[in-house]
């Protein structure tokens, strides 16, 4: 009787190198816009970014950073606004960012109109 070695579980090695596993998980669910932007930037080099984003869209994640995008109330938002009334410049910038988010989702093969709701 010979003993065969089990193949290495590559997914364990990949999971250990994911940014959301290396850094504080609270960073991806912060209330601070600056921390959420940091979390988004950390997702940029993640090998599972597209799959993470697709899964979050499918599940309609209520909040947090998933696949390099910010979800709030089940919708992808271009950025998290700080508390208080937004300045007019911020409202105009949000409109530009919404277009960028839509383009990024489309580039990842996600149809924005049917699969995810974009917050205004």
């Amino acid at each position: 009787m010979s003993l065969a070695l089990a193949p290495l579980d590559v997914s364990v090695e990949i999971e250990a190198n994911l940014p959301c596993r290396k850094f504080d998980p609270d960073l991806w669910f912060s209330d601070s816009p600056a921390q959420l932007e940091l979390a988004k930037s950390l997702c940029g080099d993640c090998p599972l970014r597209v799959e993470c984003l697709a899964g979050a869209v499918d599940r309609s994640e209520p909040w947090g950073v998933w696949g390099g995008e910010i979800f709030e109330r089940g919708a992808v938002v271009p950025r998290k606004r700080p508390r208080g009334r937004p300045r007019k410049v911020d409202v105009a910038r949000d409109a530009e960012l919404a277009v960028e988010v839509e383009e990024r989702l489309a580039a990842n093969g996600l149809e924005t109109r049917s699969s995810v709701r974009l917050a205004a």
Side-chain angles (χ1 to χ4, degrees):
M1 179 179 201
S2 66
L3 296 175
L5 295 175
L8 292 174
D9 190 355
V10 179
S11 66
V12 172
E13 183 179 325
I14 290 174
E15 187 172 311
N17 290 322
L18 299 177
C20 56
R21 302 288 191 228
K22 290 200 275 188
F23 295 94
D24 181 11
D26 291 338
L27 181 64
W28 277 260
F29 299 96
S30 175
D31 286 329
S32 164
Q35 288 185 341
L36 291 177
E37 290 300 322
L38 174 60
K40 280 176 56 175
S41 70
L42 292 171
C43 290
D45 295 331
C46 181
L48 299 178
R49 184 181 59 79
V50 173
E51 292 85 354
C52 179
L53 178 60
V57 168
D58 288 344
R59 292 185 306 272
S60 297
E61 282 295 337
W63 62 292
V65 174
W66 297 91
E69 300 293 342
I70 299 173
F71 283 74
E72 191 171 297
R73 296 185 207 132
V76 175
V77 295
R79 69 179 181 90
K80 179 159 176 84
R81 291 186 192 161
R83 295 179 66 141
R85 185 174 180 183
R87 298 180 313 196
K88 290 179 183 178
V89 173
D90 291 339
V91 172
R93 177 77 175 131
D94 284 349
E96 293 172 10
L97 289 173
V99 171
E100 289 179 26
V101 166
E102 202 166 316
E103 289 170 356
R104 285 195 306 263
L105 289 171
N108 287 317
L110 300 170
E111 295 180 24
T112 58
R113 296 293 175 209
S114 62
S115 65
V116 68
R117 179 176 54 96
L118 291 174

